[in-house]
Amino acid sequence: MSAPLHSLTLIEAGDRMARGTVTPSALVDACFARIAQTEEKIHACITLCEQEARAAAAAMAGINPDPAKALWGIPISVKDVICTKGIRTTAASRMLEHFIPPYDAFVVRRLKEAGAIITAKTNMDEFAMGSSTEFSAFFKTANPWDTTRVPGGSSGGSAASVAAGQCFASLGTDTGGSIRLPAGLCGCVGIKPTYGRVSRYGAVAFGSSLDQIGPIARTVKDCAQVLSVIAGCDPKDATCCDVPLQDYVGATGRTGLEGLTLGLPVEYWREGLSAETERVCRAAVDTAVKLGATVKEVSLSGPAYSIACYYVLASAEASTNLARFDGMRYGLRAGGKDLSACYKASRSAGFGPEVKRRILLGTYALSSGYYDAYYEKAAKVRRRITEDFAAALEHCDALLSPVSPVTAWELGSMVEDPLALYKMDILTLGVSLAGLPAVSLPAGLGPDSGLPVGLQIIGRAFDEAGIIGIAAALENTLPKLGEPKGI
Amino acid sequence: MRVTKEQILATAALCRLDLAANGEEAAGSLAGLAAQLDNVIRYMDILNNMDTDGVQPLYSPLQHPQPPRSDTAEKTRTAAEIIANAPEREGNFFVVPPVI
């Protein structure tokens, strides 16, 4: 019996449409049938775009796929922090609960131009602040592998929707690990591109020196296909660099790792890893060696510095970015007799607890008397962290580490302890601070928990093709995870 | 304790958040919030263990040139489209509470 349509890879779905054995409408039907089957258990989506998706698919009926359109007829979900014209974009916040963007984000425009069909806006931690998707103002998302556990965050709805077969790929955003962590915990592939590789025009800003948009999908090649569509220079994002694109899909043809040197940052393998995470990731390193790679230990700044550095800088940037939400031009207005009272009332009612904590932390770090001790100090530490990565990547083609120290944890187990939750990002934050690209690749299932373990492959700036090639070679050889067991 | 309730309230005033809006219930959660932030700020102190003498701060990881875009007017959206999300409007104007 052939596999159900919802479990095809994006590439397989495209091939079938090219052969004329399946239509965009059939794929859209399969995705919404899967949403109907699984959404009650995982709560991955804030807004379903069923009417629009069915209309887009119907408009493609009887037309041959356009080979110039890399995502023709492919159902894709989009994190609800990325603006979609005419479809509400909430950032999972009461503040933007009724906000309907009058324009598409650059990446959404690119998806549409490539023929993709948007199925849903996915759940996330409010304004992308969180590691578990428990800080959505609307509801928590559950992990398709075990619905008593978190999917990771902040792009948890995107990863859960892909793992559950609700779509063939999703766009997430990554400020400190928000693509890599949920991809890792849900058994998906995620790519956080180099800072400057993908335009952020139309993404609700959180930490402007850190935010990047990237794909989450079920295979490396699927991710590469989406990245090839969304990457590129955009005059509307001044931080988007005019650096030549690589052949990301072509890079997935790599089968061996001969001639490559892969670094293992000792500090990222040293402490805090669960036994099963270490075991599965070490086995993936052994696989890399069998495929011909040379592996050597390298040294980076301790990842604890990254946590402190990141939470100072990202919170400071968030506190300034979120100053725009004042209840005047768009978003929630909560009354108040004068302008100042209205600002306070609107912001107090519109933001949830984690967002308020980060705004307070950022404001504190930027305030008179603390600026030098926290903000400027953190920016200096950031340079040291960045230089350490650059030095390691001079002698290594890529670096390998686990994505997270543990597999998916129980829902609710850390919500009252922000610092414990911040530490779940310990292995992803340094990469964000240095602006480097990284792939989160399923390395296997933990023998104790039966849950996915992610391997992080970190590359040189703007060398996404390099890490995609390594990920593809490993993916061919590493154990397949199979279908999620919780749905 | 490094971060006191008073400091939290002063910081909240700077970023226009009203943490004491809900009376006594908020007072309890305020103490909890101060303890949480104190815990986080104490953790930040490990930054002091790294020697950064002579190190220039890094505010953006961008190492590549960012080409400026041409300074040309472009028709994008109408005023009506932009103002459609306003919480209160009158014609093409945003209505705001009294400023003074």
Side-chain angles (χ1 to χ4, degrees), chain A residues 98-100 102-103 195 201 209 235-236 238-239 241-243 301 304-305 307-309 311-312 327-331 333 337-339 342 344 347-348 357 359-361 363-364 370-371 374-377 379-384 386 416 418-419 423 433-435 462, chain B residues 2-3 7-8 11-19 21 33 36-37 39-67 69 74 76-77 81-83 85-88 94-99:
Chain A
H98 305 292
F99 176 68
I100 298 177
Y103 69 107
Y195 182 80
Y201 175 71
S209 79
K236 289 199 170 74
T239 64
C241 296
D242 191 10
V243 177
S301 314
Y305 285 115
I307 297 180
C309 180
Y311 279 96
V312 169
M328 294 300 121
R329 290 147 299 145
Y330 53 87
R333 181 181 291 186
K337 61 183 183 339
D338 58 31
L339 193 67
C342 185
K344 266 192 183 179
R347 291 167 61 78
S348 304
R357 267 196 291 271
I359 291 175
L360 286 166
L361 188 60
T363 306
Y364 182 85
Y370 299 104
Y371 180 92
Y374 292 106
Y375 186 70
E376 192 169 88
K377 177 71 185 181
K380 290 179 177 176
V381 170
R382 183 180 194 177
R383 184 175 294 280
R384 288 278 309 271
T386 304
E416 295 302 326
L419 187 56
K423 288 179 180 175
L433 290 164
F462 295 99
Chain B
R2 188 83 47 90
V3 184
Q7 279 176 311
I8 294 286
T11 307
L14 288 174
C15 53
R16 304 291 185 269
L17 288 173
D18 188 358
L19 302 177
L33 183 62
Q36 284 173 344
L37 289 177
N39 197 22
V40 173
I41 296 281
R42 280 175 188 278
Y43 187 83
M44 304 307 178
D45 286 343
I46 66 163
L47 292 172
N48 294 323
N49 297 344
M50 186 183 276
D51 179 10
T52 53
D53 276 357
V55 176
Q56 287 299 308
L58 178 69
Y59 298 112
S60 166
L62 273 185
Q63 312 278 335
H64 291 74
Q66 299 148 260
R69 69 169 181 242
E74 187 188 343
T76 52
R77 293 168 281 281
E81 281 178 301
I82 289 168
I83 210 157
N85 280 294
E88 205 181 332
F94 296 102
V95 175
V96 301
V99 176

Side-chain angles (χ1 to χ4, degrees), chain A residues 178-193:
Chain A
S178 284
I179 287 173
R180 290 161 285 160
L181 186 64
L185 299 189
C186 291
C188 302
V189 181
I191 300 179
K192 181 247 173 224

Side-chain angles (χ1 to χ4, degrees), chain A residues 2 9 12 43 67 126 195 225 235 260 283 333 335 357 368 385 396 451:
Chain A
S2 61
T9 69
E12 287 168 347
H43 309 290
E126 185 178 358
Y195 182 80
Q225 184 90 328
L260 295 183
R333 181 181 291 186
R357 267 196 291 271
S368 172
I385 290 169
C396 298
L451 296 168

